[in-house]
Amino acid sequence: MAAAVSGHCVLPTNKLSLSSSSSSFSGNVLVRLPQLSLFSPPSRAIGGKISCQSSSVTSSPPAPAFGKEKPQWNDFLHIDDFDKATIMKMLDRAAEVKALLKSGERVYLPFKGKTMAMIFAKPSMRTRVSFETGFFLLGGHAIYLGPDDIQMGKREETRDVARVLSRYNDVIMARVFAHQDILDLAKYSSVPVINGLTDYNHPCQIMADALTMIEHVGQLEGTKVVYVGDGNNIVHSWLLLASVVPFHFVCACPKGFEPDQKTVEKARRAGISKIEITNDPKEAVRGADVVYSDVWASMGQKEEAAHRRQDSNWQVDEQLMKLAGPRAYFMHCLPAERGVEVTDAVIEAPNSIVFAQAENRMHAQNAIMLHALGL
């Protein structure tokens, strides 16, 4: 049984000094406080200050079974969850905050006093360092939870993980295998959830890519982006972006490795961008602003690598880049298997912007987190 206590607090009617040397005051008033349970809810914060008013158990509305309700737009799960204006606003914000950090100033601390839980079912250098460093530089503290720390879905159900972590943290980022896991985290969490990657999509990477294109090509709208390789989570995110922002997207992939057909149809139905799926990489790259590649076998899919390596037509080499034209940039989300999907010479060429992409992961994600937290 919860013990109940009643008490009094003494409040001054004149002034109360906050100086450490002040040890007394006069004109005290005795105020009777209502009976409180030791297990009653904590005091409410009003206008940034703590209120002495306690919450009545009988007057408070019941909480949903999965925790506090939240606006759905706070989550960042798919790029096409947002309209063009919101996407472009986040990209503008990313550029602004990047410039501020590049200037050396460390006075902008919107995440001060906030914590982020980072769930990694799939390990990643770029995702961890970019999120953790970005959150720290803007005043926050990130907590890394590796594959063995939670074993989400095995040792503990995803819905329980979401409800526990959202009571400790202000935001959750997760890099997982099954897309359903990120959806369940968002459903049961009472704080924003950011998709750090799933087997279906990788929205943070594409936001970083869009920022990089704006910096180097000069714009995103009206460009031609050609992806060479299998239709994976990167392709799905490009398709979802193309359903919101107008540009020409081509996926040149081997037969049998096309992207998810429903996602392709969704992008085409949007009527925003020109979408092409082809099995001819040489024809696809002509006139491209960007030629994009990725590893042929992602983590957890290595058994497919040997089959894909049998066809060298899908390697981005100097000859393929010449077909694309002198203005074409090369992009890769990294890590790259040099000599497999791309040659060393292409990665090291002057028109390769792969490391600018990697850096922009942090800046794009900073903007995403600012938006998710309403800052």
Side-chain angles (χ1 to χ4, degrees):
M1 177 181 291
V5 297
S6 61
H8 305 80
C9 66
V10 179
L11 303 177
T13 56
N14 54 1
K15 63 181 181 179
L16 172 61
S17 173
L18 296 179
S19 170
S20 59
S21 61
S22 175
S23 59
S24 64
F25 54 81
S26 58
N28 298 331
V29 174
L30 189 66
V31 179
R32 184 177 299 276
L33 294 176
Q35 190 177 56
L36 299 173
S37 167
L38 289 178
F39 298 97
S40 60
S43 301
R44 296 176 179 174
I46 301 176
K49 299 180 180 179
I50 300 298
S51 169
C52 288
Q53 182 180 0
S54 65
S55 301
S56 170
V57 173
T58 58
S59 62
S60 298
F66 53 84
K68 185 178 64 177
E69 291 182 348
K70 62 176 178 178
Q72 290 301 313
W73 55 262
N74 271 3
D75 299 321
F76 189 82
L77 308 180
H78 318 89
I79 288 182
D80 66 327
D81 290 338
F82 306 90
D83 58 21
K84 175 187 170 184
T86 304
I87 291 294
M88 300 311 295
K89 181 179 178 181
M90 280 191 272
L91 292 173
D92 288 343
R93 190 81 181 277
E96 292 171 3
V97 177
K98 177 180 179 178
L100 185 66
L101 291 175
K102 287 285 190 180
S103 73
E105 291 189 20
R106 295 294 183 266
V107 295
Y108 181 57
L109 304 173
F111 300 148
K112 185 175 182 180
K114 297 186 183 299
T115 60
M116 172 174 59
M118 302 189 303
I119 300 172
F120 282 84
K122 276 186 175 183
S124 169
M125 177 183 74
R126 269 158 297 279
T127 300
R128 178 179 179 178
V129 176
S130 59
F131 266 108
E132 191 167 337
T133 302
F135 204 65
F136 169 78
L137 288 176
L138 299 186
H141 175 69
I143 303 166
Y144 174 78
L145 299 166
D148 295 329
D149 293 321
I150 297 181
Q151 296 182 24
M152 192 169 64
K154 296 180 180 178
R155 189 169 66 188
E156 190 165 3
E157 289 193 25
T158 302
R159 56 183 173 176
D160 294 345
V161 170
R163 285 181 281 197
V164 169
L165 290 180
S166 60
R167 290 170 185 263
Y168 299 145
N169 299 278
D170 299 282
V171 61
I172 297 171
M173 186 282 296
R175 179 182 168 92
V176 297
F177 288 90
H179 192 66
Q180 189 61 46
D181 284 343
I182 202 75
L183 298 180
D184 289 343
L185 279 172
K187 178 180 179 180
Y188 290 99
S189 169
S190 58
V191 300
V193 171
I194 296 173
N195 180 355
L197 173 141
T198 71
D199 284 345
Y200 172 68
N201 70 342
H202 197 354
C204 289
Q205 177 65 59
I206 301 307
M207 289 291 284
D209 296 342
L211 177 62
T212 307
M213 286 185 62
I214 291 170
E215 290 176 343
H216 290 81
V217 179
Q219 62 190 48
L220 174 60
E221 293 186 50
T223 60
K224 181 179 180 181
V225 177
V226 180
Y227 178 94
V228 179
D230 65 306
N232 60 10
N233 52 5
I234 292 292
V235 175
H236 295 155
S237 289
W238 273 114
L239 287 167
L240 295 178
L241 179 61
S243 68
V244 179
V245 179
F247 61 95
H248 183 186
F249 178 71
V250 185
C251 174
C253 55
K255 290 183 179 180
F257 293 97
E258 290 84 1
D260 174 64
Q261 186 59 35
K262 290 183 178 179
T263 305
V264 174
E265 292 173 356
K266 183 177 184 180
R268 284 175 171 162
R269 282 197 310 269
I272 302 294
S273 300
K274 182 178 180 180
I275 306 295
E276 291 186 79
I277 309 298
T278 180
N279 304 124
D280 186 350
K282 293 181 180 180
E283 184 61 32
V285 299
R286 296 184 188 277
D289 294 287
V290 165
V291 176
Y292 198 115
S293 185
D294 189 9
V295 291
W296 290 344
S298 299
M299 284 176 288
Q301 302 170 326
K302 293 298 184 182
E303 65 277 2
E304 300 176 8
H307 174 75
R308 302 185 197 198
R309 292 186 191 195
Q310 293 175 2
D311 191 349
S312 60
N313 290 330
W314 302 98
Q315 184 184 74
V316 179
D317 55 16
E318 298 95 315
Q319 184 178 0
L320 193 66
M321 290 302 297
K322 285 180 182 178
L323 289 175
R327 70 176 187 177
Y329 288 97
F330 175 72
M331 300 180 76
H332 193 299
C333 55
L334 301 180
E337 292 191 72
R338 298 180 185 225
V340 181
E341 77 274 2
V342 60
T343 62
D344 186 79
V346 168
I347 286 187
E348 297 296 341
N351 61 336
S352 170
I353 51 177
V354 298
F355 299 110
Q357 281 179 268
E359 178 187 349
N360 279 337
R361 281 289 301 276
M362 181 178 78
H363 303 299
Q365 289 160 186
N366 281 345
I368 290 167
M369 291 187 289
L370 287 166
H371 180 81
L373 291 168
L375 299 173

